[in-house]
């Protein structure tokens, strides 16, 4: 039997800072990674959707992984790396490259996007990755990007695979499948919330933590929220969760990570708010609204 989940708490999918000329800014990646881990994140996620991974070159991806791995080593924290492709063979090759670095604790892998192979094909896909990739897998269940919904039975079957250690639950709802999954997750299988606005009720219902883009900002508050629920401190958790839900909604008012990068730049934490096409920068008014909420928590005492 697999042990209890290793992946609990807050994992932050870092943005990828660019210069105003749209070049990768590795020093800014390093600073952001260190700040995030110093603020209470349990670990980092590199090359997720929030990182604009689809627009990065192969060399840029290697640089981001190398920089994030160095930060995680310095903090004794795990690094998760996003691997997304509809080609099983290509995904295996990417996983093997990551495994060779020795720095990656797990890979975050969606159900094959766009291909929609059905649940049997998805299970075969993850079985091949688990057997041949050499890196533990966290299934990324995000139907509005992959085009395919996974049932509770499919998730349970994936969780029984020896190389699958968790799921990022980002289905856009807390529904019957969610409740069934949280009621009896496979041993050693971490359920991590991925819909930032509903992370509070999800952890209250039994999720082990979250992979939250919003936690590029107010990292300590998101870490505290998860900790409060897991300690059973319901009243302060509900209060903080409601506030952070409003904050997350403001950050996702335009396509992710445009608002997050706008606020980070306004705070002087990254060199520009630049994003690569097909994304466009968030509207200044949207960034201003989110920036005000980003500072709000500092005006109040921390919950007891």
């Amino acid at each position: 039997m697999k042990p209890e989940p290793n992946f609990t708490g807050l994992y932050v999918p870092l943005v990828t800072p660019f210069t105003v000329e749209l070049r990768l800014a590795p020093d800014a990646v390093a600073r952001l990674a260190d700040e995030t881990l110093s603020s209470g994140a349990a670990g980092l996620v590199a090359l997720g959707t929030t990182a604009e991974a689809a627009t990065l070159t192969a060399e840029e991806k290697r640089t981001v992984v190398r920089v994030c791995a160095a930060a995680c080593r310095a903090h004794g924290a795990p690094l998760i790396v996003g691997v997304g492709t509809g080609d099983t063979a290509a995904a295996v090759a990417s996983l093997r490259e990551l495994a060779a670095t020795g720095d990656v604790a797990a890979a975050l892998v969606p159900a094959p996007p766009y291909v929609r192979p059905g649940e049997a094909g998805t299970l075969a896909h993850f079985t091949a990755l688990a057997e041949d990739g050499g890196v533990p897998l966290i299934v990324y269940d995000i139907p509005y990007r992959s085009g395919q919904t996974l049932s509770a039975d499919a998730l349970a079957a994936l969780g029984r695979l020896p190389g699958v250690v968790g799921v990022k639950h980002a289905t856009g709802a807390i529904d019957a499948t969610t409740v069934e999954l949280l009621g009896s997750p496979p041993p050693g299988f971490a359920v991590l919330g991925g819909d930032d606005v509903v992370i509070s009720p999800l952890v209250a219902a039994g999720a082990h933590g979250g992979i939250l883009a919003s936690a590029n900002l107010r990292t300590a508050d998101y870490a505290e929220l998860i900790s409060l629920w897991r300690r059973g401190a319901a009243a302060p958790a509900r209060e903080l969760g409601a506030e952070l839900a409003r904050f997350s909604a403001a950050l996702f008012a335009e396509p992710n990570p445009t608002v997050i990068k706008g606020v980070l730049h306004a705070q002087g934490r990254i060199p520009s708010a630049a994003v690569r096409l097909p994304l466009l920068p968030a509207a200044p008014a949207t960034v201003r609204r989110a920036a005000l909420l980003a500072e709000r928590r500092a005006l109040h005492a921390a919950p007891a």
Side-chain angles (χ1 to χ4, degrees):
M1 182 177 290
K2 291 187 288 188
E4 289 304 302
N6 290 325
F7 294 92
T8 61
L10 173 66
Y11 294 84
V12 179
L14 287 186
V15 303
T16 301
F18 299 131
T19 68
V20 292
E21 298 85 11
L22 290 176
R23 292 194 295 269
L24 178 66
D27 290 347
V29 177
R31 286 193 303 273
L32 197 60
D34 179 69
E35 290 168 0
T36 300
L37 292 169
S38 296
S39 296
L44 301 178
V45 179
L47 306 185
T49 307
T50 304
E52 300 172 74
T55 72
L56 301 179
T57 68
E59 183 56 35
E60 287 173 332
K61 290 179 181 180
R62 284 190 285 269
T63 298
V64 169
V65 171
R66 184 170 62 251
V67 171
C68 289
C72 286
R73 282 195 304 273
H75 287 267
L79 174 63
I80 301 168
V81 177
V83 174
T85 174
D87 179 354
T88 302
V92 168
S94 296
L95 291 171
R96 287 177 175 172
E97 182 178 347
L98 291 174
T101 69
D103 291 321
V104 179
L108 180 63
V109 185
Y114 190 75
V115 180
R116 302 181 66 185
E119 289 190 347
T122 297
L123 184 58
H125 172 76
F126 278 104
T127 300
L129 302 190
E131 290 178 349
D132 300 330
V135 177
L137 306 177
I138 296 174
V139 175
Y140 193 178
D141 186 12
I142 185 164
Y144 68 87
R145 291 191 186 275
S146 68
Q148 179 170 309
T149 300
L150 298 177
S151 68
D153 288 343
L155 289 168
L158 289 168
R160 289 191 293 269
L161 294 174
V164 176
V165 296
V167 61
K168 178 180 178 181
H169 183 280
T171 63
I174 298 176
D175 56 15
T177 297
T178 311
V179 173
E180 186 174 347
L181 175 65
L182 292 172
S184 56
F189 187 76
V191 180
L192 302 171
D195 290 313
D196 298 23
V197 172
V198 295
I199 188 60
S200 185
L202 195 67
V203 178
H208 300 95
I211 297 176
L212 306 175
S214 300
N216 278 273
L217 297 152
R218 295 182 63 172
T219 308
D221 287 338
Y222 283 96
E224 180 184 22
L225 174 65
I226 293 169
S227 177
L228 285 169
W229 277 121
R230 292 182 64 79
R231 297 199 316 262
R238 279 194 293 268
E239 180 184 357
L240 180 57
E243 183 183 350
L244 290 178
R246 291 189 290 272
F247 180 51
S248 290
L251 293 177
F252 281 82
E254 297 191 34
N256 184 47
T258 61
V259 183
I260 293 172
K261 292 183 96 171
V263 177
L264 286 169
H265 177 54
Q267 293 180 340
R269 297 176 61 194
I270 59 175
S272 80
V275 291
R276 289 177 175 171
L277 286 170
L279 291 174
L280 296 173
T286 306
V287 173
R288 284 195 296 272
R289 285 193 295 271
L292 289 174
L293 292 173
E295 300 301 330
R296 178 170 294 180
R297 190 68 188 160
L299 301 178
H300 302 282

